[in-house]
Amino acid sequence: MPIATLGVTVLDCPDPRALAAFYAAVLDWRRDDAQSDEDWEELVGPEGGRLAFQRSEGYRPPKWPGTQQPQQFHLDLNVPGDRMDAAEAEVLRLGATLLQDDDGGKRAFRVYADPAGHPFCLCAQ
C-alpha cells in the first residue's frame, strides 16, 4: 500500500491564467472553474490528471541547461513520432521557445521552454 498518491502537479509562474491557457491548448485539457482564481489555475485531463499553475511574485524562470537557476523538474509530453514537426509548430505558435532540437533525429525528444520559461520536452513515441 502506498504512503500517498500523486494529486496535482503545480508550476509556479507570474501569470497562472496565461500559462494554464498554454497547457490547455497543448494537452487539450479543460479548466476546472471550481479550483481556479486569480492566483491559481487548475486543468483536468481526460483521465483525471491535474496540472495547476500558482502565481509566484518575483518568479524567475529556470535557465536551462545551467544550474544557476535550475529547472528542478520538467514535463515530458508524448507525441507520435510522425507528428513531431507538427507538434513543434503548434507549441511554438502557442508561445513556446525551442531550447534544443533532436539533433537531426538522433534523439527522440526536443526541449522547449513554455511561456513562463519552464522546460518541457516533446518526446517521440
Side-chain angles (χ1 to χ4, degrees), residues 38-85:
E38 66 185 36
D39 293 323
W40 180 273
E41 289 286 326
E42 197 163 315
L43 302 177
V44 181
E47 296 178 14
R50 291 186 170 267
L51 185 59
F53 309 91
Q54 174 176 268
R55 183 177 312 280
S56 175
E57 298 303 325
Y59 171 78
R60 293 178 23 202
K63 300 290 186 198
W64 186 87
T67 58
Q68 296 253 353
Q69 287 173 237
Q71 67 175 333
Q72 298 179 5
F73 82 98
H74 70 272
L75 300 172
D76 282 348
L77 307 177
N78 296 333
V79 175
D82 62 350
R83 290 213 8 89
M84 283 293 283
D85 291 338

Side-chain angles (χ1 to χ4, degrees), residues 15-116:
D15 185 346
R17 182 157 289 181
L19 196 55
F22 172 81
Y23 280 103
V26 170
L27 298 170
D28 195 25
W29 286 18
R30 68 172 177 80
R31 180 178 186 257
D32 184 346
D33 294 331
Q35 298 296 325
S36 297
D37 62 35
E38 66 185 36
D39 293 323
W40 180 273
E41 289 286 326
E42 197 163 315
L43 302 177
V44 181
E47 296 178 14
R50 291 186 170 267
L51 185 59
F53 309 91
Q54 174 176 268
R55 183 177 312 280
S56 175
E57 298 303 325
Y59 171 78
R60 293 178 23 202
K63 300 290 186 198
W64 186 87
T67 58
Q68 296 253 353
Q69 287 173 237
Q71 67 175 333
Q72 298 179 5
F73 82 98
H74 70 272
L75 300 172
D76 282 348
L77 307 177
N78 296 333
V79 175
D82 62 350
R83 290 213 8 89
M84 283 293 283
D85 291 338
E88 176 173 279
E90 282 298 301
V91 298
L92 294 175
R93 182 186 65 75
L94 291 166
T97 303
L98 179 66
L99 298 178
Q100 183 182 48
D101 65 17
D102 60 6
D103 196 19
K106 292 179 184 173
R107 286 190 300 278
F109 64 91
R110 299 174 188 172
V111 184
Y112 305 84
D114 68 23

